[in-house]
Amino acid sequence: MRKPVGSSKDMIDAERIVFNLIHSKQNMGIWVADIKRETTLPESMIKKSIKNLQTRGEIKEVVNIKNKSRKHYMAASFEPADEVTGGNWYSEGKLDKEYIYELRQACLRYISRSSVASRNGISEFIIKGGCFPGATTAEVDQILENLVLDDEIIEEKSTGYGDYENFPVGRVCYRCKSKGEVGAMASIPCGVCPRINLCSPDDFISPKNCELYQKWLNF
């Protein structure tokens, strides 16, 4: 990592001030107007310093997804934070619709192939699969939330039986929605049961002695 002071012997005082300020912001960078506000340097000197620092590769201009029109600078030794670039959702400051589409399809394929899948299983498949380098659990969670909202998958809590036997009772799981199928909360009583966390196959509260669950099975 480049040191904030003395990184270039021929750096004039103004350039050193500007560089140290930019460097102090680390991977968040700084808007040029804030450089003017946080220093007492004349605007012309700031502009010249920035130009010289860029020419020498000391700093770089980055796109801040929240304010694309603003000149935003960062020390060359840092990579922009996701808050600045938008993370994997964005490429060169633009929403990466292809990446989002491919990630959605990958999640759908995994859930369809698995019949029922857990959040952890889906995340592990996406992140460790190698097709989406840099993907995060938070991104997978956002995709799953959108797929539920788009009515393409159903979110349910495991009952510990049937397709859910490999998942602890109460674990949030996902499955693809069949044609003509009603929503998750209406399709199984466990999804809205206030005692689901106390339910287990061999306990006092279990699907075996649940009147609502038996009625649902016999529907």
Side-chain angles (χ1 to χ4, degrees):
M1 181 179 294
R2 192 185 302 277
K3 296 181 180 179
V5 178
S7 57
S8 178
K9 292 182 180 179
D10 62 347
M11 184 183 291
I12 61 174
D13 289 342
E15 292 174 4
R16 184 177 292 109
I17 291 172
V18 172
F19 175 77
N20 286 347
L21 176 59
I22 294 174
H23 189 281
S24 70
K25 304 303 179 181
Q26 300 186 20
N27 63 353
M28 293 301 295
I30 185 172
W31 179 30
V32 68
D34 288 333
I35 297 177
K36 298 174 184 177
R37 181 175 54 81
E38 294 187 34
T39 68
T40 57
L41 299 172
E43 183 175 352
S44 59
M45 190 173 291
I46 291 174
K47 289 182 178 180
K48 185 176 181 180
S49 296
I50 288 175
K51 181 179 180 181
N52 291 340
L53 289 168
Q54 280 187 288
T55 300
R56 291 201 301 271
E58 301 280 350
I59 65 172
K60 58 187 175 183
E61 184 176 349
V62 295
V63 176
N64 188 325
I65 199 63
K66 296 178 181 178
N67 297 286
K68 296 181 182 180
S69 62
R70 294 181 176 181
K71 294 283 188 178
H72 207 79
Y73 296 97
M74 185 176 298
S77 54
F78 293 102
E79 289 300 322
D82 286 348
E83 293 93 324
V84 176
T85 64
N88 288 337
W89 297 146
Y90 289 82
S91 177
E92 298 181 352
K94 296 181 180 180
L95 186 65
D96 194 340
K97 295 181 180 180
E98 183 177 353
Y99 175 82
I100 295 173
Y101 172 80
E102 293 297 334
L103 190 53
R104 281 171 61 96
Q105 293 304 111
C107 289
L108 283 172
R109 286 194 297 270
Y110 181 81
I111 296 171
S112 178
R113 187 168 65 244
S114 304
S115 296
V116 175
S118 69
R119 167 184 173 272
N120 289 344
I122 299 168
S123 293
E124 184 174 354
F125 168 74
I126 295 297
I127 295 172
K128 295 183 179 180
C131 295
F132 299 92
T136 65
T137 299
E139 289 174 352
V140 175
D141 287 346
Q142 289 180 47
I143 290 294
L144 293 174
E145 289 175 8
N146 281 311
L147 287 172
V148 171
L149 291 174
D150 290 343
D151 215 22
E152 294 198 49
I153 63 173
I154 291 176
E155 179 182 295
E156 294 180 326
K157 292 181 179 179
S158 170
T159 62
Y161 284 91
D163 290 338
Y164 302 93
E165 63 181 357
N166 294 323
F167 306 101
V169 173
R171 173 71 57 80
V172 174
C173 297
Y174 300 91
R175 63 186 178 85
C176 290
K177 187 173 182 181
S178 303
K179 290 183 178 180
E181 188 173 13
V182 295
M185 293 300 104
S187 65
I188 182 169
C190 304
V192 293
C193 179
R195 309 180 77 180
I196 185 64
N197 292 328
L198 302 175
C199 182
S200 64
D202 301 314
D203 211 335
F204 176 74
I205 300 175
S206 75
K208 292 180 182 179
N209 53 37
C210 177
E211 183 179 349
L212 290 176
Y213 186 66
Q214 294 303 318
K215 286 182 178 181
W216 179 77
L217 288 176
N218 296 327
F219 179 71

